[in-house]
Amino acid sequence: MVSRFTTAIAVALLSTATLAPTATATTPPTTSTAAQLSTYWTPARMAAALPLDTKAARPTADGPRPGEYIPPSRSFDGIPQAGAFFWTDATGTGRTCSGSVVHSPGRDLALSAGHCLKGYAGDSPARHLAFVPQYHDGLTPLGVFPVRANGVHVAQEYYDRGEHAGAAYDFGFAVTEPNQAGDALEDVADSVQLLTGTGYAHAPVRMIGYPGGAPKPVECLSRTTRWASDDPADPGTFERIACDGFTGGTSGGPMLIPWFGGWAVIGLIGGYHTGGNTPQISYSAPFGPAVRALYEATISGAPPAGPAS
């Protein structure tokens, strides 16, 4: 199945190879929050960060179907438009999820799963929450981008219903501050276009994620299909994709399609069973009106939603 997609992806890779901006020789003064976080998130701390969720290594009801081909993943150095989130939980333990840079008027927006971001709506500075585009091998080639205080936006439905009953709302946006060189996120990392309302079936799809504890991200080429939940605890209809090697930590990683010389995001690892119970099968909450509404609210500067008081 992958062989039918490889040519289209290769063309897209070649067409975008020169799109990623490079840092200039002269940079603005260091910003204190970013400088503090870049000092805090040492290579050792980032490598030791634990995934927020853990995918089981055993088959489950939502695992591969009998005889289903599972495309392999490969480890690579990543792309500027995808990266890893790092933060500390209530015990001070480092945690990690995956994400991507989405085009926005403020050039400062990162996308991830709602279950990764929901606990930090008003507490991101205290929890050292930061986004590191193209993180690999302990390196932060484009800098460390703090998430702004009150810059985490998750759908109110996700807070109200919880991660299971609200699985169809498992997505969120994080508004970042400039990195330690004073650069806006999109100015150094480029971005992907957010696509909503395009349905469940897409091909070819390039999925990228950061397995917890791994030195590099992984990517895989496959297709998404429609999956109607058979679990009443996680109701809804989701995008389903078969790709091997997407273990804990890959939640929030983007599902990308070629788009006018670049990439567009049509899903992310999350949703049904918070993205799936096995490393071979992943899911995304549907990218429909709810995603678009949250994006519009975020870029408008509306106050973020939060747990009911």
Side-chain angles (χ1 to χ4, degrees), residues 30-255:
T30 298
T31 54
S32 59
T33 304
Q36 291 168 8
L37 282 180
S38 65
T39 299
Y40 181 84
W41 287 114
T42 62
R45 275 200 173 111
M46 289 187 289
L50 300 175
L52 185 67
D53 51 358
T54 302
K55 287 192 172 188
R58 62 186 184 278
T60 66
D62 61 308
R65 298 162 180 152
E68 180 176 15
Y69 174 67
I70 307 298
S73 61
R74 74 175 187 97
S75 177
F76 75 128
D77 285 348
I79 62 173
Q81 301 95 327
F85 279 94
F86 295 98
W87 71 94
T88 53
D89 64 18
T91 69
T93 302
R95 296 287 184 173
T96 186
C97 268
S98 304
S100 57
V101 184
V102 172
H103 177 63
S104 67
R107 307 182 67 78
D108 55 5
L109 204 59
L111 169 70
S112 189
H115 71 266
C116 292
L117 297 175
K118 70 174 183 176
Y120 309 98
D123 199 24
S124 57
R127 294 295 179 84
H128 307 99
L129 180 58
F131 181 67
V132 182
Q134 206 174 3
Y135 166 74
H136 66 90
D137 300 297
L139 303 175
T140 60
L142 302 177
V144 175
F145 293 82
V147 173
R148 188 176 302 168
N150 294 311
V152 172
H153 291 255
V154 175
Q156 186 64 57
E157 292 88 346
Y158 196 68
Y159 287 113
D160 294 345
R161 303 182 189 189
E163 67 180 28
H164 295 292
Y169 299 92
D170 189 5
F171 43 78
F173 295 97
V175 183
T176 64
E177 296 179 357
N179 66 7
Q180 59 268 44
D183 300 315
L185 177 59
E186 201 171 329
D187 288 345
V188 295
D190 200 8
S191 63
V192 300
Q193 187 69 37
L194 176 68
L195 288 189
T196 59
T198 58
Y200 300 90
H202 299 91
V205 174
R206 182 188 191 190
M207 188 162 69
I208 299 173
Y210 281 78
K216 299 177 185 290
V218 295
E219 68 172 353
C220 173
L221 306 182
S222 191
R223 66 167 71 225
T224 58
T225 57
R226 183 179 182 272
W227 170 265
S229 171
D230 57 359
D231 184 349
D234 285 60
T237 304
F238 305 88
E239 293 175 76
R240 180 188 188 272
I241 186 170
C243 271
D244 197 16
F246 282 78
T247 56
T250 59
S251 280
M255 300 175 186

Side-chain angles (χ1 to χ4, degrees), residues 284-298:
S284 172
F287 267 37
V291 174
R292 179 60 58 180
L294 184 62
Y295 172 82
E296 295 293 342
T298 302

